[in-house]
Amino acid sequence: MSDNNPEIESSTFNTLNHDVTESILSHLPIPSLVRFTLVSKQWRSIITSLPPSPSPSSSSPPWLFLFGIHNTSSFHNQSFAFDPLSNTWLRLPPSSSSSDHLVGSNRFLFTTAPRFSFSPILKPNWRFTSPVLFPRINPLLSVFTTLSNSSKLILVGGSSRIGGLVDIEERLAVQVYDPVLDSWELCSPLPADFRSGQDHQTLTSALFKRRFYVFDNYSYFISSFCLDSYTWSDVQTLKPPGLSFAFLNSCNGMLVLGGMCGFSFNLWSIEEGSMEFSEIAVMPEGLLFGLVDNEDEEDKFRSLKCVGSGNLVYVFNDDCHKKFPACVCEIGGGENGKCSWRRVPCLPSPVNKFHKVVSFCSTVSISDVFHPEDAHIGG
């Protein structure tokens, strides 16, 4: 569809059946819909009246979100989102939260300290929760749906600094938040095997088939928390040969581990239960070395991060704040169902200097942009 003759296109759309028009518009990238709302009042009315769904369409590819926290002033914080359909970055309004402790998940942004709060990503509307039982810094976090179709939040691990020290026992705490009751429940803690980790930041997680999986890059231990019984599975070891570090994700109906093996970045599918792994993709060498600067060979890949959702896995270097080199792998999106890699465009300039970057991916829907949010988790 061309943007050159909006009046002609608007007239053409006027002759279409309303249901047909809705169907056509529902398949357009969100950036295009935002632009087309400016064509005419009728177009805006049609687009903003598209029925919101309770959850994003499974066919909608996930966006990569980037929140940069400025070194000295929150006024200079910046926020961006990458839409894979249009292959473009969108500059978002900066986060209105003054907290440094941000975590993103499931179309929401969370502050974990000094008070816990959450807000929809695209339509900021911060809501504070009742006091957390154990305040966390950098916890694992996810929103899940209960058997009764309500939404809850799970908070796992993280650290609580008391007098400059980390309380190891508290680091294993698991807390579940009910937004309807505005209450926190203390659940079975993370298995004691995970105490061997050197740092809470070695943990990565994925929500998959009503289980919350936790993987430790230091020990290569993996365990899952049942979201129905609130119990942990036995601890197992997950380490493909040569693995130095990895990130666990849930993509395309399977658990996916993405990480470095020597000078190669690989993706593996993980068999639930047995934790057996099979390689599904290897990043092309040209893309991999385009993500790093010319640093010491030993450490230059350590700044890479990996997040995935839907049918996409993003790999990026959040230490190179201004360039933010990144690439994306579409699982099963190439010829014969093979994985397909491509480079992500550079961030729109100018980009400020950040001391911390929060990155995550999430599927979004048109309702996230145009429909009112009441800030309920999963709403």
Side-chain angles (χ1 to χ4, degrees):
M1 183 179 296
S2 170
D3 296 333
N4 295 329
N5 298 292
E7 291 183 2
I8 294 176
E9 291 177 0
S10 178
S11 176
T12 301
F13 259 59
N14 291 342
T15 65
L16 295 177
N17 177 277
H18 185 83
D19 292 339
V20 174
T21 303
E22 278 193 357
S23 178
I24 293 172
L25 291 173
S26 67
H27 288 84
L28 292 178
I30 290 178
S32 297
L33 290 175
V34 173
R35 187 168 64 250
F36 292 162
T37 58
L38 304 177
V39 171
S40 68
K41 290 182 179 179
Q42 182 184 21
W43 278 39
R44 178 172 180 80
S45 175
I46 294 174
I47 291 172
T48 56
S49 65
L50 290 173
S53 57
S55 61
S57 168
S58 59
S59 63
S60 176
W63 289 14
L64 175 63
F65 289 92
L66 167 64
F67 294 86
I69 301 174
H70 192 260
N71 294 28
T72 58
S73 171
S74 60
F75 179 77
H76 293 101
N77 291 349
Q78 288 180 300
S79 303
F80 305 92
F82 175 72
D83 171 36
L85 279 182
S86 61
N87 200 42
T88 57
W89 284 96
L90 290 77
R91 192 182 294 271
L92 304 177
S95 169
S96 56
S97 171
S98 58
S99 173
D100 263 9
H101 304 293
L102 296 178
V103 181
S105 178
N106 306 74
R107 296 182 290 154
F108 281 81
L109 195 63
F110 300 84
T111 68
T112 60
R115 291 187 60 190
F116 199 96
S117 65
F118 59 92
S119 169
I121 301 168
L122 298 177
K123 298 182 75 68
N125 182 14
W126 288 95
R127 171 183 169 185
F128 288 95
T129 72
S130 58
V132 182
L133 300 173
F134 291 106
R136 319 314 298 135
I137 297 175
N138 295 323
L140 302 176
L141 179 155
S142 187
V143 177
F144 67 95
T145 303
T146 68
L147 292 175
S148 60
N149 207 33
S150 62
S151 295
K152 290 187 177 182
L153 170 72
I154 182 170
L155 199 66
V156 177
S159 68
S160 175
R161 297 189 175 273
I162 304 174
L165 300 176
V166 176
D167 189 320
I168 298 298
E169 291 298 328
E170 284 189 11
R171 186 166 81 79
L172 304 179
V174 175
Q175 304 168 86
V176 171
Y177 176 70
D178 186 330
V180 176
L181 301 177
D182 188 27
S183 63
W184 292 89
E185 178 181 357
L186 192 61
C187 303
S188 301
L190 193 65
D193 305 66
F194 287 88
R195 286 197 185 102
S196 61
Q198 295 289 324
D199 192 300
H200 59 276
Q201 294 186 12
T202 65
L203 300 181
T204 180
S205 63
L207 191 66
F208 182 68
K209 290 187 177 180
R210 306 204 56 74
R211 304 193 74 91
F212 186 75
Y213 286 81
V214 175
F215 173 72
D216 189 345
N217 268 311
Y218 176 75
S219 62
Y220 305 105
F221 287 150
I222 186 170
S223 182
S224 65
F225 183 80
C226 177
L227 298 172
D228 299 326
S229 64
Y230 288 5
T231 56
W232 286 94
S233 68
D234 293 336
V235 176
Q236 297 172 270
T237 301
L238 174 60
K239 187 183 180 183
L243 183 70
S244 54
F245 67 91
F247 301 85
L248 192 65
N249 294 283
S250 174
C251 305
N252 226 31
M254 58 184 170
L255 281 173
V256 174
L257 190 72
M260 289 296 302
C261 281
F263 294 99
S264 173
F265 194 96
N266 297 10
L267 298 179
W268 299 268
S269 65
I270 308 301
E271 183 69 30
E272 55 177 323
S274 68
M275 291 295 111
E276 294 182 357
F277 51 86
S278 57
E279 183 182 284
I280 57 174
V282 178
M283 185 188 300
E285 187 176 280
L287 287 181
L288 176 61
F289 283 85
L291 298 179
V292 295
D293 292 328
N294 294 322
E295 304 171 0
D296 295 337
E297 291 292 320
E298 183 178 354
D299 299 324
K300 68 179 180 179
F301 296 111
R302 276 288 173 182
S303 56
L304 296 185
K305 301 291 189 297
C306 172
V307 293
S309 179
N311 64 334
L312 299 182
V313 175
Y314 293 95
V315 184
F316 51 89
N317 186 341
D318 63 9
D319 271 3
C320 301
H321 297 156
K322 292 204 170 187
K323 296 180 181 178
F324 195 73
C327 62
V328 60
C329 178
E330 183 177 357
I331 299 177
E335 295 181 4
N336 301 319
K338 295 183 178 180
C339 296
S340 173
W341 294 86
R342 75 175 191 269
R343 195 181 307 276
V344 171
C346 295
L347 286 173
S349 297
V351 179
N352 295 332
K353 184 177 181 180
F354 307 132
H355 75 87
K356 180 180 178 181
V357 172
V358 177
S359 300
F360 65 100
C361 70
S362 175
T363 307
V364 297
S365 70
I366 187 63
S367 62
D368 297 321
V369 180
F370 293 112
H371 295 277
E373 289 278 5
D374 58 7
H376 285 291
I377 294 178

